[in-house]
Amino acid sequence: MEDYSGRVLEENYPEVKDVISAKTARTMTAMLREVVLHGTGYAASKLNYPLAGKTGTTNDFTDAWFVGFSPSTTCGVWVGFDEKKSLGNKETGAQAALPIWMEFMKVAIQGHEGEEFPATPANTAVTKKAEIPTFRPNDAEAH
């Protein structure tokens, strides 16, 4: 905290500590990277930059969001109304929030060329090809 003349009155340095292991963080990053490369966040792959994230949509399309990150920047975009009101049919995270996120990230990643996410640990489920299930969810399981 500084006074009007710029004199430091107080400084606080938070304690920094890991809350998950590096392996877990790399695995989660790899999973969220797949959302951008092959999933609902695919439009962001057109930025040609290492990006990861997750779309989200509530029932009746009342809220839509995309929370994503690059190796150096994290940003979340939420779209919705103050009251519970539908955004409109098919207004998903990918349709309503992701384009806003992409516009922000186009600017945020400038000057950060060459960044890469840390490598995914070998022998994890993310590094192996996923098997396609042979069953379909029943009505009680489907959303």
Side-chain angles (χ1 to χ4, degrees):
M1 181 176 7
E2 297 178 357
D3 65 12
Y4 285 110
S5 52
R7 218 173 21 159
V8 176
L9 301 175
E10 182 179 337
E11 289 182 320
N12 290 306
Y13 298 99
E15 179 185 337
V16 178
K17 61 182 180 178
D18 291 338
V19 293
I20 59 173
S21 71
K23 181 179 178 182
T24 299
R26 287 192 305 270
T27 300
M28 291 302 299
T29 297
M31 290 171 53
L32 294 170
R33 180 100 175 97
E34 291 296 313
V35 174
V36 171
L37 294 175
H38 306 290
T40 53
Y42 179 74
S45 69
K46 294 177 181 135
L47 294 178
N48 294 317
Y49 198 82
L51 300 168
K54 183 69 181 91
T55 59
T57 309
T58 55
N59 294 345
D60 302 320
F61 307 103
T62 56
D63 297 280
W65 63 89
F66 185 82
V67 177
F69 55 98
S70 72
S72 62
T73 304
T74 300
C75 174
V77 172
W78 170 82
V79 178
F81 296 103
D82 289 340
E83 66 278 351
K84 187 173 178 154
K85 177 180 169 185
S86 179
L87 295 167
N89 193 33
K90 307 291 184 200
E91 288 298 321
T92 63
Q95 294 295 316
L98 181 57
I100 299 166
W101 184 88
M102 289 172 59
E103 286 300 312
F104 171 82
M105 289 302 284
K106 280 180 195 175
V107 176
I109 61 179
Q110 288 178 0
H112 293 274
E113 293 78 12
E115 284 186 321
E116 292 294 333
F117 289 118
T120 304
N123 300 321
T124 64
V126 176
T127 60
K128 299 175 186 174
K129 183 176 179 182
E131 292 185 26
I132 299 172
T134 57
F135 66 92
R136 293 178 46 126
N138 62 35
D139 290 337
E141 296 172 316
H143 301 335

